[in-house]
Amino acid sequence: MGHLQGKVAIVTGAGSGVGQGIALALAGEGASIAALGRTPEKLEATCALVAERGGRTEALSCDVADTDRAPGLVEEVADRLGGVDILVNNAYSGAYGPLLSMSDTDFRRGFDSGPFAAFAFMKACHPHLKRRGGGVVVNLVSSAMVRWDLRTYGAYAAAKTALRSLTRTAAGEWGPDNIRVNAIAPHATSPGYLRWEAANPEEAEAFRDSIPLRYVGDCEEDIGRAVVMLCGPDARYLTGATVPLDGGQANFD
């Protein structure tokens, strides 16, 4: 029996990549999974993988940027699965490119799907987490926040920096409710990364060489398992932190 047995986790952007890896890792420790995302077919694929491992799961199709839906979605999860103990804000749909070539709409999209969406889901989940005697929120940020050269990454880094600040604020305000809030900044073999690697093999090799452990993290075994740790009893005294899941790159950049 896993140490998350009886827990219920909401994972946004759970249809593929890091979100799917986190969902599978949490399910492997016994958590029931509410898989949220924009593409029903991808969510069903994640749910099928969870079911193969004997896990309980529900798929809810949504665009997290539509923040008005967050309270209703959280209530639906609580009704279907019996509560909410864990929230993982993974979904993000933003833009990359030079600032002068970016529209206001594209810039705003990263905030709508990032910190604004996370804020809406965190507020909606708070009463459920408190009612269950405490819970865990994990927000996904990025090492782009601390890159020296932010060319083409400015909008992305701005949204993720806002989410990091939100994480620390909630950790301070919600600690008395026994709700822990942390962030992770992962390097992972997501579909987007794999496409970039295939299109830029030399640059990708240089990137991997800059990681002391010399590889990019697996979505489930490296990133998902770290989230399991953050959600479990071994991390009960950790809150307000940003964990760089990047094979040591942040320490040697």
Side-chain angles (χ1 to χ4, degrees):
M1 181 179 294
H3 63 253
L4 297 179
Q5 197 73 34
K7 304 295 186 181
V8 176
I10 294 175
V11 182
T12 70
S16 64
V18 172
Q20 184 183 78
I22 291 172
L24 294 176
L26 292 172
E29 288 296 330
S32 297
I33 304 298
L36 275 60
R38 292 183 298 178
T39 309
E41 294 79 11
K42 291 183 178 180
L43 295 178
E44 293 299 336
T46 295
C47 289
L49 291 172
V50 170
E52 286 177 5
R53 304 175 187 206
R56 185 181 178 199
T57 184
E58 294 281 352
L60 288 85
S61 180
C62 68
D63 183 346
V64 297
D66 183 4
T67 55
D68 289 341
R69 289 195 62 196
L73 288 164
V74 170
E75 293 303 318
E76 187 171 356
V77 170
D79 289 343
R80 291 190 191 185
L81 296 176
V84 180
D85 302 279
I86 297 165
L87 169 65
V88 180
N89 285 305
N90 165 69
Y92 174 82
S93 177
Y96 303 87
L99 295 178
L100 291 179
S101 66
M102 186 173 299
S103 69
D104 291 351
T105 298
D106 285 344
F107 187 86
R108 188 176 295 112
R109 188 169 71 245
F111 280 82
D112 289 340
S113 65
F116 288 157
F119 180 53
F121 276 93
M122 288 165 67
K123 286 197 300 179
C125 284
H126 178 274
H128 294 278
L129 300 176
K130 184 177 180 179
R131 189 178 304 125
R132 305 271 277 193
V136 181
V137 177
V138 178
N139 293 323
L140 272 78
V141 293
S142 170
S143 61
M145 300 181 304
V146 294
R147 286 174 63 108
W148 289 111
D149 181 1
L150 275 173
R151 285 176 293 182
T152 75
Y153 286 94
Y156 176 64
K160 293 298 186 178
T161 298
L163 184 53
R164 184 186 187 189
S165 296
L166 177 63
T167 298
R168 289 183 57 80
T169 302
E173 294 182 359
W174 297 357
D177 297 324
N178 197 32
I179 298 170
R180 297 187 297 105
V181 188
N182 291 296
I184 61 170
H187 288 336
T189 52
S190 64
Y193 170 81
L194 293 175
R195 287 193 295 270
W196 173 80
E197 183 181 68
N200 305 274
E202 293 183 2
E203 189 176 351
E205 182 178 6
F207 175 73
R208 288 192 300 274
D209 287 345
S210 72
I211 299 173
L213 292 182
R214 293 297 191 270
Y215 75 97
V216 179
D218 179 81
C219 292
E220 180 180 356
E221 294 301 322
D222 294 307
I223 311 308
R225 292 301 306 172
V227 172
V228 166
M229 182 273 292
L230 289 174
C231 293
D234 290 342
R236 70 176 193 168
Y237 201 53
L238 181 64
T239 194
T242 297
V243 181
L245 298 178
D246 59 5
Q249 188 188 53
N251 297 320
F252 296 93
D253 201 4

